[in-house]
Amino acid sequence: MRILLVGATGLLGRSVREVLEERGHEVVTASRRDPGLAVDITDPDSITALYDRAGPLDAVAVAAGGVPWKPFGELTAPDVRGALGDKVFGQVELVRQGAGRIAEDGSFTLVSGVLAREPLPTGSMASLANGAVEAFVRAAAIELPHRQRVNAVSATVFAEAMDAYEATFAGYEAVPVRRAALAYVRSVEGRRTGHVFVVE
């Protein structure tokens, strides 16, 4: 398959690219700082330009979308808009525009996260965004055209990132990032739709 990977430069994105290429797929990468296909997923015009340049696609996989981590009492209205605009709007827009661009039996794999199920202090915006993405996946699955599919991967904290996040995720059992990347393979190559692949 020819797969567009958005967010290819991060920890998860690099691992997703590796496992997809191991399985013989052609991976077209895009990110904010990608020298080939740069994209700002908060900007609909940037997403349009990305699809224009990417060419024919069988699938889209997303490993991008940031949220602010702040105590609830310190959150501002721009923080809330930022969480919704980046991780939620950006991914929804990739599907909305992409439905008319990818193959009739193509798929979208979005990224969510453990905080949709396990809220943590300073993580209310992550919980909001992850929950919204998962609700969107379930709803969009019944309306996508042709035989297109949409799923999400929702992983706990990665072992490779525990040095930075150990205090925040105290008591959590970390998983290797490759386990989450393999869930993308199940989404891309499988037949499920409207499903959240939980990795924990």
Side-chain angles (χ1 to χ4, degrees), residues 72-139:
F72 182 78
E74 296 178 13
L75 288 170
T76 64
D79 289 330
V80 178
R81 291 193 191 98
L84 293 172
D86 197 334
K87 191 162 191 179
V88 181
F89 173 82
Q91 295 197 88
V92 170
E93 190 66 5
L94 282 163
V95 176
R96 189 188 71 81
Q97 292 196 35
R101 305 275 196 144
I102 70 169
E104 290 189 355
D105 60 349
S107 70
F108 299 91
T109 305
L110 309 185
V111 62
S112 175
V114 67
L115 268 70
R117 306 177 299 282
E118 297 280 345
L120 290 173
T122 74
S124 59
M125 291 300 95
S127 292
L128 170 67
N130 292 340
V133 168
E134 293 182 12
F136 168 73
V137 160
R138 289 188 287 269

Side-chain angles (χ1 to χ4, degrees), residues 90-189:
Q91 295 197 88
V92 170
E93 190 66 5
L94 282 163
V95 176
R96 189 188 71 81
Q97 292 196 35
R101 305 275 196 144
I102 70 169
E104 290 189 355
D105 60 349
S107 70
F108 299 91
T109 305
L110 309 185
V111 62
S112 175
V114 67
L115 268 70
R117 306 177 299 282
E118 297 280 345
L120 290 173
T122 74
S124 59
M125 291 300 95
S127 292
L128 170 67
N130 292 340
V133 168
E134 293 182 12
F136 168 73
V137 160
R138 289 188 287 269
I142 65 174
E143 291 196 76
L144 281 174
H146 311 296
R147 299 183 307 281
Q148 291 176 356
R149 300 177 298 107
V150 60
N151 298 300
V153 172
S154 177
T156 189
V157 64
F158 299 134
E160 294 84 349
M162 265 313 249
D163 285 349
Y165 293 107
E166 188 169 6
T168 303
F169 287 89
Y172 279 69
E173 185 172 352
V175 300
V177 67
R178 185 177 174 88
R179 278 189 56 197
L182 289 170
Y184 279 77
V185 174
R186 296 203 300 276
S187 176
V188 170
E189 296 186 7

Side-chain angles (χ1 to χ4, degrees), residues 39-80:
V39 63
D40 176 359
I41 63 172
T42 68
D43 179 357
D45 291 338
S46 182
I47 291 173
T48 301
L50 170 65
Y51 279 123
D52 287 343
R53 299 193 311 271
L57 298 167
D58 298 298
V60 176
V62 188
V67 296
W69 288 75
K70 286 185 178 180
F72 182 78
E74 296 178 13
L75 288 170
T76 64
D79 289 330
V80 178

